[in-house]
Amino acid sequence: MGEEEALMLQGQADIWKYMFHFADSMALKSAVELRIPDIIHRHGGPMTLSQITASLSDAPSPHIAYLARIMRLLVRRNIFAAHHPSDNGGDTLYGLTHSSRWLLSDSAVNLAPMLLMENHPTLLAPWHYLSHCVREGGFAFNKAHGRDIWEMTLENPELNKLFNNGMACTGRAAMMAIVSAYKEGFESIVSLVDVGGGTGGTISEIVKTYPHIKGINFDLPHVVVTAPEHDGVTHIGGDMFHSVPPADAVFMKWLLHDWSDKDCIKILKNCKKAIREDKGKVIIAEFVLKPEGKGLFDDTGFVFDLLMIAHCSGGKERTESEWKNLLNQAGFPRYHIIHTHSFLSIIEAYPL
């Protein structure tokens, strides 16, 4: 086979692979819905398919052949491990890997709620409108549902819970790295407001590690009304486009990427009003896109950039130069980037 023919064959294989990438997500979603990672974890070790199906309490007549085919793909993707007995007559045993351990419901770093949220039919529908957005502008979520995601979560308590759980689990996954990487930054803060903090999981993690901090969880009223109590944290409902509660520092994790540059400048200006000009700071935890980056999460950042088209009203992920321009326009001429062992970096911004 000649070089050109080999390249064309590889190109065909790539198109087939990307054409059906959604099958990976659906197989993974099915494993989470069936709680297979939890079943194997509770068992204490690898299990046969018969043992797994016997543990499906809500499945009166499980189809073991279907499960075998789903698990075969997930093993190939290294989500689960397959242990083949040395004797030919033994059944294959399926165990956890470092990937499927991120899907355990009782784990502090459980990404299953985010997986279920992003693969919910309501959130998948806008992806079919990307080409429409290119042709005519507008917002994919609105095109799919006739309203934006915030209006829809307000109207639909079940979707609101799904969304909040998804956001909370990503917060826990990132916060361990953020708290560790930003130790000196948190130690100098007395009061901290988490803007768009959801149900308060993020600010709670910060206060647990740094109990001298007075934590304020700030989000829309219908969000904070569902928030549980957290030691050292006060919940405040409001609108960040109108004002932000005063504090020594403002924290925003994975928030500004939801909004256009114009909206981000409004939010940042309100954050600037909330802090002391001489000592205050804004702490932003977001992707910093690296077009040529080859780090563990660099590729994920570009996927999330398209996710912003699908779900948000003008949101996007940004490169360092785009962050610098945004901060300058909002009145933050000085900034510092701290990279963490997670998908988010810390952007520390100062008004002076």
Side-chain angles (χ1 to χ4, degrees):
M1 182 184 295
E3 182 180 355
E4 181 62 21
E5 188 179 1
L7 290 172
M8 286 300 293
L9 192 61
Q10 180 61 55
Q12 180 191 161
D14 288 342
I15 294 301
W16 282 112
K17 179 174 70 174
Y18 296 126
M19 186 190 306
F20 289 108
H21 251 353
F22 71 90
D24 294 339
S25 296
M26 293 300 105
L28 194 54
K29 179 187 179 185
S30 70
V32 170
E33 289 176 331
L34 293 168
R35 303 183 73 85
I36 292 173
D38 288 333
I39 289 171
I40 296 173
H41 181 62
R42 284 198 302 268
H43 183 72
M47 304 173 69
T48 65
L49 290 175
S50 296
Q51 290 174 318
I52 292 173
T53 54
S55 300
L56 298 176
S57 57
D58 58 348
S61 54
H63 199 299
I64 195 168
Y66 285 163
L67 179 60
R69 291 155 70 180
I70 292 171
M71 293 297 285
R72 181 168 58 186
L73 177 64
L74 293 176
V75 166
R76 190 172 178 85
R77 297 292 183 261
N78 296 315
I79 303 299
F80 294 99
H83 306 275
H84 304 288
S86 55
D87 59 295
N88 295 329
D91 292 331
T92 299
L93 297 171
Y94 294 89
L96 300 177
T97 66
H98 287 97
S99 295
S100 45
R101 289 187 183 280
W102 283 87
L103 302 173
L104 297 174
S105 61
D106 62 352
S107 172
V109 287
N110 170 23
L111 289 178
M114 183 68 166
L115 173 71
L116 295 176
M117 182 192 91
E118 292 297 347
N119 287 282
H120 188 278
T122 298
L123 276 80
L124 284 175
W127 285 97
H128 294 280
Y129 290 84
L130 293 187
S131 61
H132 296 250
C133 291
V134 172
R135 289 192 182 100
E136 59 202 38
F139 306 119
F141 199 94
N142 296 59
K143 291 177 185 293
H145 299 295
R147 52 204 182 279
D148 66 32
I149 192 170
W150 316 115
E151 292 171 321
M152 202 158 187
T153 55
L154 180 60
E155 297 167 2
N156 186 329
E158 182 181 348
L159 184 64
N160 184 52
K161 181 179 179 180
L162 187 73
F163 184 85
N164 287 336
N165 287 344
M167 293 298 97
C169 84
T170 58
R172 288 190 294 271
M175 281 312 297
M176 291 175 63
I178 290 172
V179 168
S180 175
Y182 197 60
K183 181 178 180 181
E184 293 182 2
F186 285 128
E187 285 179 343
S188 62
I189 297 171
V190 176
S191 59
L192 179 68
V193 55
D194 183 5
V195 175
T199 55
T202 294
I203 190 68
S204 173
E205 289 301 313
I206 295 172
V207 171
K208 282 180 185 177
T209 308
Y210 304 97
H212 69 277
I213 293 178
K214 175 187 175 184
I216 302 167
N217 180 54
F218 181 64
D219 211 311
L220 293 169
H222 77 275
V223 175
V224 297
V225 75
T226 66
E229 291 187 8
H230 300 290
D231 291 339
V233 175
T234 301
H235 297 292
I236 297 179
D239 187 338
M240 63 189 174
F241 288 104
H242 294 159
S243 64
V244 171
D248 291 337
V250 172
F251 184 77
M252 290 182 287
K253 176 182 62 61
W254 229 4
L255 171 75
L256 295 180
H257 75 159
D258 289 333
W259 301 97
S260 67
D261 288 354
K262 182 179 178 181
D263 285 334
C264 285
I265 291 169
K266 288 181 183 178
I267 296 168
L268 285 165
K269 285 184 174 179
N270 284 335
C271 292
K272 185 179 178 182
K273 293 176 184 176
I275 61 176
R276 287 179 54 178
E277 191 166 325
D278 57 340
K279 294 183 179 180
K281 60 183 174 181
V282 172
I283 307 157
I284 302 165
E286 291 275 3
F287 272 112
V288 178
L289 293 181
K290 300 176 184 176
E292 307 301 326
K294 296 182 180 179
L296 278 175
F297 302 105
D298 284 334
D299 193 62
T300 304
F302 291 95
V303 174
F304 265 97
D305 189 39
L306 295 189
L307 178 67
M308 296 302 100
I309 300 177
H311 290 171
C312 299
S313 302
K316 62 180 181 179
E317 305 298 347
R318 296 171 171 91
T319 63
E320 180 175 351
S321 62
E322 288 173 317
W323 279 115
K324 180 179 180 180
N325 182 54
L326 195 68
L327 292 169
N328 276 328
Q329 291 186 65
F332 294 90
R334 190 162 59 94
Y335 73 94
H336 175 57
I337 295 178
I338 303 166
H339 298 293
T340 74
H341 293 300
S342 80
F343 51 91
L344 301 182
S345 295
I346 298 166
I347 307 169
E348 196 177 49
Y350 301 90
L352 291 176

